[in-house]
């Protein structure tokens, strides 16, 4: 009978045992319920007198085996939980690093595009500066030509006035257009 109860509590039965009968875990006695895993500020210890209660032979052994099986199951559940948590953390970290890598590659692409646009703008600016300087040079050339024309015209007018005054002196006549005030 004790072996049958131990087989019923064993969480991993052999294939032969699984075919013979279904494994049904025994309900835990109220005193052996799962302890609260929440974070406690004070550790409560059982008295030594309570732990060393002598019980009947097979009943005590069955209770101990059930407690061991429960502790084993709880430790397996806790290990599984921590494994799942670490998997979730690793997955999140991997996804975060892929997002950072994606962001960095997009930034690099946009920075390269910005530099390309800046270079194009610099080329256009240099072209506009060159055109403006050429326009200024052409304007300066035209101004010089106009100044030269004005100088030439002034020289011609002075020469004409000297010739006319020499003619009037030679003939002894007075010019008809004498300053408008006389």
């Amino acid at each position: 009978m004790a072996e049958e109860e131990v087989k019923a509590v064993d969480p991993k039965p052999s294939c032969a045992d699984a075919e013979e009968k279904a494994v049904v875990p025994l309900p835990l006695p109220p005193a052996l319920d799962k302890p609260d895993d929440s974070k406690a500020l004070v550790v409560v210890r059982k008295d030594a007198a309570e732990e060393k209660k002598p019980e009947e032979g097979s009943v005590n052994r069955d209770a101990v085996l059930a407690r061991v099986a429960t502790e084993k199951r709880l430790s397996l559940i806790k290990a599984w939980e921590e494994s799942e948590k670490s998997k979730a953390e690793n997955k999140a970290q991997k996804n975060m690093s892929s997002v950072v890598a994606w962001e960095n590659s997009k930034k690099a692409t946009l920075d390269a595009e910005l530099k390309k646009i800046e270079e194009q703008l610099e080329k256009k600016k240099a072209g506009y500066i060159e055109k403006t300087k050429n326009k200024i040079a052409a304007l300066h050339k035209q101004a010089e030509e106009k100044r030269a024309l004005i100088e030439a015209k002034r020289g011609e007018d002075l020469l004409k006035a000297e010739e006319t005054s020499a003619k009037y002196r030679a003939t002894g006549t007075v010019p008809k257009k004498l300053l408008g005030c006389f």
Side-chain angles (χ1 to χ4, degrees), residues 144-160:
E144 286 295 320
E145 289 174 356
K146 288 184 179 185
R147 283 189 200 105
L149 285 175
I150 292 171
E151 263 318 296
K153 177 87 168 147
R154 189 187 81 160
E156 287 176 8
D157 288 344
L158 288 177
L159 187 60
K160 185 178 176 183

Side-chain angles (χ1 to χ4, degrees), residues 110-162:
L110 291 175
D111 284 343
E113 186 177 329
L114 180 64
K115 287 188 186 244
K116 183 178 176 183
I117 291 170
E118 285 177 350
E119 288 175 4
Q120 289 174 347
L121 290 175
E122 286 295 323
K123 286 181 181 178
K124 282 185 178 181
K125 182 180 176 183
Y128 288 139
I129 289 173
E130 185 69 26
K131 285 181 183 179
T132 306
K133 286 183 178 180
N134 289 343
K135 286 180 182 179
I136 290 172
L139 183 69
H140 185 69
K141 182 179 176 185
Q142 287 176 349
E144 286 295 320
E145 289 174 356
K146 288 184 179 185
R147 283 189 200 105
L149 285 175
I150 292 171
E151 263 318 296
K153 177 87 168 147
R154 189 187 81 160
E156 287 176 8
D157 288 344
L158 288 177
L159 187 60
K160 185 178 176 183
E162 286 179 8

Side-chain angles (χ1 to χ4, degrees), residues 74-86:
L74 293 176
S75 67
L76 288 173
I77 290 171
K78 188 173 183 178
W80 176 84
E81 179 186 11
E82 289 183 12
S83 171
E84 290 298 312
K85 285 181 179 178
S86 68

Side-chain angles (χ1 to χ4, degrees), residues 60-118:
N60 185 26
R61 184 177 54 144
D62 290 343
V64 168
L65 289 174
R67 186 172 63 231
V68 167
T70 302
E71 289 174 1
K72 182 178 179 183
R73 185 176 29 135
L74 293 176
S75 67
L76 288 173
I77 290 171
K78 188 173 183 178
W80 176 84
E81 179 186 11
E82 289 183 12
S83 171
E84 290 298 312
K85 285 181 179 178
S86 68
K87 284 180 189 177
E89 286 293 326
N90 290 341
K91 186 176 181 180
Q93 186 65 32
K94 181 181 175 185
N95 289 340
M96 291 294 266
S97 65
S98 68
V99 167
V100 168
W102 174 81
E103 180 186 19
N104 289 341
S105 69
K106 292 296 181 181
K107 277 184 182 178
T109 302
L110 291 175
D111 284 343
E113 186 177 329
L114 180 64
K115 287 188 186 244
K116 183 178 176 183
I117 291 170
E118 285 177 350

Side-chain angles (χ1 to χ4, degrees), residues 6-89:
V6 170
K7 286 182 182 178
V9 173
D10 188 13
K12 296 181 183 176
S14 66
C15 293
D17 289 340
E19 291 176 4
E20 290 178 15
K21 59 182 176 182
V23 178
V24 178
L26 294 175
L28 295 176
L32 298 177
D33 282 341
K34 177 181 166 187
D36 188 18
D37 288 338
S38 64
K39 296 180 181 177
L41 297 176
V42 179
V43 178
V44 178
R45 296 184 183 178
K46 295 182 179 179
D47 293 332
E50 288 182 18
E51 289 186 18
K52 293 185 179 180
K53 286 185 180 176
E55 294 188 17
E56 301 296 320
S58 66
V59 173
N60 185 26
R61 184 177 54 144
D62 290 343
V64 168
L65 289 174
R67 186 172 63 231
V68 167
T70 302
E71 289 174 1
K72 182 178 179 183
R73 185 176 29 135
L74 293 176
S75 67
L76 288 173
I77 290 171
K78 188 173 183 178
W80 176 84
E81 179 186 11
E82 289 183 12
S83 171
E84 290 298 312
K85 285 181 179 178
S86 68
K87 284 180 189 177
E89 286 293 326

